[in-house]
Amino acid sequence: SQKIEQNSEALNIQEGKTATLTCNYTNYSPAYLQWYRQDPGRGPVFLLLIRENEKEKRKERLKVTFDTTLKQSLFHITASQPADSATYLCALDGYGGSQGNLIFGKGTKLSVKP
Amino acid sequence: GAVVSQHPSWVICKSGTSVKIECRSLDFQATTMFWYRQFPKQSLMLMATSNEGSKATYEQGVEKDKFLINHASLTLSTLTVTSAHPEDSSFYICSAPDLTSGSYEQYFGPGTRLTVT
């Protein structure tokens, strides 16, 4: 069955540094991969989507890479701030990209210390 | 961006009673909505796909007679947890894609915290 792993349950970094989160998947070839932010007691908020034919995507201080050979996506937050502290989830399309439902990883809880 | 609301944001009920959770798309029409459940420190798990005007599609292991889904309009889906038990206590979240935008982005509701005593 499809499996998604986010390698760290928690990541602590200093303000101003770059945070790098990893998402690995197996038994699947997704059409796209998404990253979401989830704050405690709230629903996830969409951040970035990267398609299978894209290597890299950027949005302000965020950067996502997608390596379909390694079956891995990296999510970077540059110049991190305490306000970036949250849980970050990666998600793959569940049924070949057309139906819209998602399979989520467990998430990585990022803490940015001032 | 598109907004999805949920009501209530939290609910406490007694074991054996039923609870209804509403999910609304506020500024777009959603022919499809998804219901997820999230236990503490766990991933969001898809429970079912709610389709406007037709029966919901349930994921394996989810009891359709226990988790009743009704998608009566293009902006409203409801999830009813029937005969709730303490093990049903969880964080329930709905989402909807805005398919007209051409994006696969999902818009999530703020979630409903259900506690069954």
Side-chain angles (χ1 to χ4, degrees):
Chain A
S1 61
Q2 302 153 0
K3 195 174 178 183
I4 302 174
E5 285 185 351
Q6 292 188 245
N7 66 333
S8 298
E9 210 173 290
L11 178 64
N12 299 313
I13 65 168
Q14 206 67 31
E15 182 176 8
K17 301 292 185 184
T18 296
T20 298
L21 285 64
T22 305
C23 177
N24 295 290
Y25 59 93
T26 57
N27 298 330
Y28 195 48
S29 296
Y32 57 86
L33 184 147
Q34 302 187 33
W35 284 89
Y36 287 80
R37 168 181 173 143
Q38 187 176 25
D39 290 285
R42 308 292 295 175
V45 174
F46 173 81
L47 296 175
L48 280 169
L49 178 151
I50 187 164
R51 298 179 188 277
E52 59 177 340
N53 59 349
E54 297 176 317
K55 295 290 185 188
E56 183 179 297
K57 205 86 171 273
R58 291 176 184 261
K59 180 182 176 182
E60 297 172 354
R61 294 185 294 112
L62 309 180
K63 185 178 86 171
V64 172
T65 62
F66 196 8
D67 188 325
T68 55
T69 301
L70 291 179
K71 294 186 181 293
Q72 181 181 81
S73 174
L74 298 179
F75 176 79
H76 306 273
I77 305 176
T78 58
S80 59
Q81 306 165 0
D84 295 326
S85 298
T87 295
Y88 291 86
L89 308 168
C90 72
L92 303 178
D93 58 295
Y95 298 122
S98 61
Q99 300 216 12
N101 63 332
L102 299 171
I103 301 173
F104 282 89
K106 285 188 178 180
T108 296
K109 184 176 180 180
L110 175 66
S111 296
V112 181
K113 305 295 183 187
Chain B
V3 177
V4 173
S5 70
Q6 273 183 251
H7 178 80
S9 55
W10 59 270
V11 58
I12 302 172
C13 71
K14 290 187 186 294
S15 189
T17 61
S18 295
V19 172
K20 181 187 283 188
I21 303 170
E22 293 185 349
C23 177
R24 292 181 186 273
S25 57
L26 297 186
D27 49 3
F28 67 102
Q29 294 183 334
T31 55
T32 301
M33 289 183 173
F34 300 100
W35 286 96
Y36 293 86
R37 180 167 53 181
Q38 187 178 34
F39 292 105
K41 296 191 176 181
Q42 296 296 312
S43 173
L44 279 79
M45 296 300 295
L46 179 67
M47 298 175 66
T49 302
S50 174
N51 304 297
E52 188 270 332
S54 64
K55 289 183 180 180
T57 306
Y58 290 82
E59 295 300 301
Q60 194 172 12
V62 177
E63 300 175 56
K64 62 180 182 180
D65 294 329
K66 180 171 181 62
F67 298 99
L68 302 179
I69 291 173
N70 184 16
H71 196 147
S73 78
L74 288 171
T75 59
L76 174 64
S77 174
T78 60
L79 168 69
T80 301
V81 183
T82 63
S83 186
H85 290 286
E87 57 264 31
D88 298 324
S89 299
S90 188
F91 193 49
Y92 292 84
I93 311 174
C94 68
S95 75
D98 182 2
L99 298 177
T100 59
S101 71
S103 164
Y104 291 112
E105 175 182 346
Q106 292 276 331
Y107 299 96
F108 283 83
T112 297
R113 173 76 58 191
L114 170 64
T115 302
V116 184
T117 61

